Amino acid sequence: MDDVFQALADPIRRELLDRLFARNGQTVSELCVGIEISRQAVSKHLNILEQANLVATVFRGREKYHYLNPVPIVDIYNRWIGKFQQSQLQELSDLKRLLEEE
Amino acid sequence: MEKPSFVYVIYIATTAERLWEALTTPAINRKFWFGMQQASDWKVGSTWRMENSDGTAENIGEVLEVDRPRKLVVSWWNDTDPELRPAGRTRFTFLLQPEGELVKLTLLHDIAPAGQAFIASISEGWPQILSSLKTMLETGEPLPGTSEGSSCKERQLKNS
């Protein structure tokens, strides 16, 4: 679990996860588009995310595709946010979104 | 070969054989699969049904590949729900790879782009099922809300 929090404690890595959330299954080249760091640095960040199991990869031919793997985050969620709190938290989250949209 | 729609990975402190048993035994399925169970004799070409707690099944399929305890491939479709039907035949694969004291479980799910509702439905279900499976195998107890008597999965499928 330390790996997960360390991996998440970086804005570039969070952006990479956001991109995979928006479109799952991307190559390094696709993930480099519009990011202000080198391809080598992107690969390094992806390796850290993969080590933390937040990113899962598969090869198809010569291409390596990266996927957002939410399972460790679900583990964290299950550990600290009980089943019975879910509806109240959803309401708070909806309220926040509503107020911030105005 | 098409790239999968989803790839999930979880590391579980167990053996490949125990994990295979948990994945393919209905009575064990019910403990971590929102009270549902997969019914099949797990032979290539055999039918596969994801049975609700009352024994009915809207989610059906066919066993495509069996390599105990390493690989299991199943096709899965839903003809009864008008929102899930457009997905056609989806396909999921379990890969079990021992790594030291752990087993790496990889789940790949291939869904056609027409299956948006199907994608939304399973992307909520699978991570919870895998997390609960890990908890059950490592502690002996599944997560609350994913065991028998819980209808989360059925609700998700209906709401999606």
Side-chain angles (χ1 to χ4, degrees):
Chain A
M1 202 166 272
D2 290 353
D3 288 354
V4 175
F5 287 108
Q6 274 166 28
L8 290 172
D10 181 279
I12 298 276
R13 291 197 285 272
R14 292 195 296 272
E15 186 184 338
L16 289 168
L17 293 178
D18 284 341
R19 284 164 171 240
L20 292 176
F21 181 73
R23 192 161 67 84
N24 222 352
Q26 297 191 57
T27 61
V28 176
S29 303
E30 289 172 309
L31 287 166
C32 283
V33 176
I35 281 194
E36 297 294 314
I37 56 171
S38 69
R39 181 191 171 92
Q40 202 181 358
V42 169
S43 290
K44 203 176 137 200
H45 284 301
L46 287 171
N47 277 338
I48 293 169
L49 289 166
E50 196 174 351
Q51 285 298 312
N53 200 26
L54 290 165
V55 162
T57 58
V58 288
F59 282 95
R60 286 290 178 266
R62 293 176 62 185
E63 293 287 8
K64 186 182 188 186
Y65 294 98
H66 299 77
Y67 289 80
L68 174 64
N69 183 36
V71 178
I73 297 171
V74 171
D75 288 340
I76 290 168
Y77 178 87
N78 287 333
R79 178 163 166 179
W80 284 297
I81 309 176
K83 179 194 170 197
F84 303 106
Q85 292 168 266
Q86 280 177 26
S87 64
Q88 286 131 294
L89 288 174
Q90 188 59 50
E91 282 160 24
L92 282 175
S93 172
D94 290 346
L95 178 64
K96 175 180 159 71
R97 196 174 308 127
L98 185 74
L99 293 171
E100 287 176 354
E101 272 171 8
E102 277 173 359
Chain B
M1 198 175 171
E2 280 290 296
K3 65 177 181 181
S5 311
F6 287 98
V7 179
Y8 297 123
V9 172
I10 191 162
Y11 292 86
I12 304 177
T14 187
T15 62
E17 195 53 48
R18 275 191 70 208
L19 179 53
W20 183 277
E21 192 188 3
L23 290 170
T24 56
T25 307
I28 306 177
N29 278 183
R30 288 198 297 274
K31 293 181 184 170
F32 67 88
W33 206 306
F34 299 111
M36 303 175 95
Q37 61 182 32
Q38 303 171 91
S40 178
D41 65 8
W42 305 113
K43 294 195 172 93
V44 173
S46 290
T47 56
W48 171 92
R49 286 160 48 90
M50 196 200 288
E51 294 183 346
N52 306 311
S53 44
D54 62 2
T56 59
E58 302 88 36
N59 296 283
I60 54 174
E62 181 186 344
V63 178
L64 300 178
E65 197 178 329
V66 181
D67 179 11
R68 180 173 188 154
R70 284 173 288 271
K71 187 177 185 186
L72 182 64
V73 186
V74 177
S75 68
W76 168 359
W77 63 89
N78 185 317
D79 283 336
T80 45
D81 187 319
E83 297 206 354
L84 300 181
R85 195 186 301 134
R89 289 194 169 216
T90 76
R91 187 181 66 219
F92 69 89
T93 302
F94 283 122
L95 297 172
L96 292 69
Q97 298 163 287
E99 289 190 10
E101 303 286 296
L102 304 171
V103 180
K104 179 184 183 184
L105 175 64
T106 305
L107 168 63
L108 313 163
H109 204 138
D110 298 85
I111 305 168
Q116 280 308 317
F118 204 104
I119 288 172
S121 169
I122 67 113
S123 64
E124 285 188 33
W126 277 132
Q128 277 293 347
I129 289 166
L130 296 176
S131 181
S132 186
L133 167 65
K134 175 184 166 77
T135 305
M136 186 198 72
L137 285 171
E138 292 182 351
T139 69
E141 294 291 329
L143 292 167
T146 56
S147 58
E148 264 172 297
S150 155
S151 58
C152 293
K153 184 68 176 180
E154 287 164 85
R155 195 183 64 230
Q156 270 173 21
L157 287 167
K158 277 172 190 145
N159 286 350
S160 58

